[in-house]
Structures are given as structure tokens and as C-alpha cells.
Amino acid sequence: LHSFPTDALPIWSARQPEGVIVQLGCGLETAFNRNDNGRTKWYGVDLPDVIEYRKTLLTESKREGYIAVDAFSDLWLIQIREEIGDAPVLVTASGLFYYFEESKVLGLLKRFLSYGDVEVVFDTVNKSGMSMMRKKWMKKVGHEDAKMFFYVDSAGTLASKIGDNVRVLAEEKYYRYINKKGLDLTTKISMIVSDILNMVKMIHLKSPT
């Protein structure tokens, strides 16, 4: 997949000036560097070896802290709430959930959406998109053996599975956020078809708080 669209991040920061942004599975993502408004606190969460490598290339700033734990652990949730109190939180997950069973993703969403005022934005595919990724995309990038499981046909259905009156704020076509300038015609057509069929999308959920 392309780089995680971040247009919504500065908008959210402006709407929630006292809030914090958490990047799950941050890897070498540079969203903070591209969207820092000089005020919002950010956290990057990833496995210890990933965070250790990240620090060699992207050092922590005064407003960006790294947490070296499994994203599916409760430890990052506990640490962040202890540090920020009841401040609003936006969690982003870029290219993360695909590789886990639905039950595991649902368990994580249920937990952190119950931690006060929390929103989550993540990329996903529908069932057709998952089939396409398994057959073509992963083979193209040399990872045809990678196992992929999680997909979402309907954000509303997903929210009902999470329960507790979780709200769907948006379910949008992924490639509408991608700058297509300079891309070859075949790639542009693939993106257009994907958006028409809603194969790849962004989902934005909010806790009932």
C-alpha cells in the first residue's frame, strides 16, 4: 500500500488542541515530521527492535515519545493514559491490521475504544480487495507467503461487532487521498477501479464518550 494518508491529522489536531496522536506499528513512518503543529503530543508504538532501529534514524522530539511494546498489548494504553489523563486520543494504524485474525483486531479495538475519548483511523480492504492483495499485490512485492486475514466489508457492521455504541465517523475510498500526479496510466486506472468497488478504504471510528 501507499504511504498512509495523513490529511486528517492536522485537522484533528486543530479540532482537539489538547489531544494526542498515537501511531500503532509506527515503523519508520514520518507522519509526525510532516504534520507537527508545534503543540500536539505524539506517540509511536512498535516492537522493541523496531523502536531501537527507529531511534537511530528518527530521534524523539519533545512532543514525540516512543513506546517499545507489542501494539496488541495493553501496556501502551496504560502508559499513555497515565501520562495524559483524560485528554482526547487519535489512534492511527497504517498497514497493520491486515495480518491478524479478526478476533484479535476486534479485541484491540474494543480495549482502546473503552479508554475514554478515543478515535481510531486505519486503512483496510473489503473481501474482494483482500483476495486481490493475496493473489497479486503481495506476490508483486515479493511477499507471497505472507498471511493476511483482516478485511472490512462494512464499517457499520464492524462497529456493531465492537459494540458499546462505537460510532462510525467515516468510511472513505482510500485513493481519493493519494496524489496521482506522475503515476502511470495503468496505476491510475487501478486506483480508480479500486475506489469504485470500495476495495481499499479508510475507516474512522469513535468511542461513545
Side-chain angles (χ1 to χ4, degrees):
L1 289 176
H2 293 264
S3 179
F4 191 59
T6 56
D7 290 3
L9 302 184
I11 296 174
W12 185 88
S13 295
R15 177 164 56 87
Q16 301 280 17
E18 303 305 318
V20 302
I21 295 175
V22 181
Q23 297 182 88
L24 291 188
C26 60
L28 297 178
E29 174 61 72
T30 59
F32 170 78
N33 307 79
R34 291 178 282 117
N35 294 278
D36 178 29
N37 62 4
R39 179 179 55 196
T40 302
K41 172 73 175 180
W42 292 58
Y43 290 90
V45 178
D46 215 317
L47 296 172
D49 57 334
V50 177
I51 291 297
E52 182 178 355
Y53 183 59
R54 180 181 174 87
K55 286 181 177 180
T56 65
L57 301 174
L58 300 165
T59 56
E60 294 170 272
S61 78
K62 293 180 179 179
R63 289 180 310 282
E64 184 185 30
Y66 298 155
I67 303 178
V69 297
D70 185 340
F72 287 85
S73 163
D74 287 341
L75 296 178
W76 64 269
L77 289 165
I78 295 170
Q79 178 178 332
I80 289 173
R81 273 298 176 213
E82 287 178 346
E83 292 181 6
I84 69 169
D86 60 358
V89 177
L90 175 67
V91 178
T92 70
S94 172
L96 177 64
F97 293 153
Y98 303 94
Y99 306 98
F100 300 92
E101 296 282 0
E102 182 182 71
S103 59
K104 188 165 185 176
V105 176
L106 284 175
L108 176 63
L109 292 172
K110 287 178 181 178
R111 290 199 302 278
F112 70 65
L113 284 170
S114 68
Y115 271 65
D117 186 352
V118 179
E119 297 177 33
V120 57
V121 176
F122 62 93
D123 54 323
T124 187
V125 293
N126 62 14
K127 188 174 183 179
S128 296
M130 175 58 74
S131 178
M132 185 70 69
M133 288 182 71
R134 286 171 174 167
K135 292 178 180 179
K136 295 185 177 182
W137 176 256
M138 298 309 290
K139 183 177 181 179
K140 183 178 180 179
V141 297
H143 295 291
E144 59 267 32
D145 295 330
K147 296 184 181 298
M148 306 179 76
F149 305 98
F150 183 73
Y151 63 87
V152 179
D153 282 331
S154 165
T157 300
L158 175 66
S160 67
K161 291 179 180 179
I162 298 170
D164 295 327
N165 297 314
V166 168
R167 291 190 288 146
V168 178
L169 297 184
E171 181 176 12
E172 300 181 346
K173 302 177 188 304
Y174 183 90
Y175 291 111
R176 64 174 291 186
Y177 292 101
I178 299 298
N179 183 355
K180 301 176 181 61
K181 184 178 180 180
L183 298 177
D184 61 74
L185 181 60
T186 300
T187 300
K188 290 180 180 178
I189 292 174
S190 295
M191 289 179 172
I192 292 170
V193 171
S194 174
D195 279 350
I196 291 173
L197 299 177
N198 205 28
M199 295 175 71
V200 187
K201 51 192 171 181
M202 301 293 295
I203 291 179
H204 189 174
L205 306 176
K206 188 181 190 313
S207 65
T209 304

